[in-house]
Amino acid sequence: QVQLVESGGGLVQPGGSLRLSCSASGTAFSMFDAGWYRQAPGKERELVARITSGGKTNYVDFVKGRFTIGRDDFKNMMFLQMNSLKPEDTAVYYCNIDQLGLDYWGKGTLVTVSS
């Protein structure tokens, strides 16, 4: 079965950094498109960044220049490096993989940006 587990969330001050990790089993980031999404309280889940099986990356405008998505194929893990964090980045961050149109999600990791 496909399982995704996020880690690395926590409390950080504005301007700080966090590195989120997503560990996959039953699938491989090298084979499918994947990405990070987030959901803030009272808001809908939204795309943050995506990476294709070929390694191409895309970012939404509000994180461009601050966040970096990547993966380690040997460890079968995906990462989101978040720099210059802002209070509006506070959300539960979810790992996603698109397995030929069938989406799988992790349970999320909470990121809180507050002074």
Side-chain angles (χ1 to χ4, degrees):
Q1 302 89 345
V2 175
Q3 290 188 345
L4 303 173
V5 180
E6 304 95 338
S7 62
L11 175 64
V12 64
Q13 296 187 49
S17 299
L18 283 175
R19 182 176 173 87
L20 306 183
S21 299
C22 178
S23 179
S25 61
T27 189
F29 293 117
S30 63
M31 297 182 181
F32 305 102
D33 297 347
W36 289 94
Y37 294 71
R38 70 187 185 187
Q39 186 169 20
K43 300 183 66 176
E44 296 183 358
R45 187 175 301 185
E46 62 184 0
L47 172 70
V48 177
R50 288 187 289 197
I51 184 168
T52 71
S53 60
K56 296 291 185 179
T57 60
N58 293 279
Y59 304 89
V60 294
D61 288 341
F62 58 84
V63 307
K64 194 172 298 181
R66 300 188 298 123
F67 292 9
T68 303
I69 188 171
R71 68 174 197 254
D72 184 327
D73 292 339
F74 179 77
K75 297 180 179 179
N76 200 19
M77 297 181 68
M78 184 174 66
F79 306 96
L80 184 67
Q81 178 66 46
M82 305 185 296
N83 300 324
S84 301
L85 284 162
K86 305 175 181 179
E88 50 263 43
D89 294 319
T90 297
V92 177
Y93 284 71
Y94 296 92
C95 175
N96 166 266
I97 189 165
D98 177 9
Q99 194 164 312
L100 301 179
L102 182 60
D103 286 331
Y104 292 90
W105 300 89
K107 294 182 179 180
T109 184
L110 177 62
V111 172
T112 302
V113 185
S114 180
S115 58

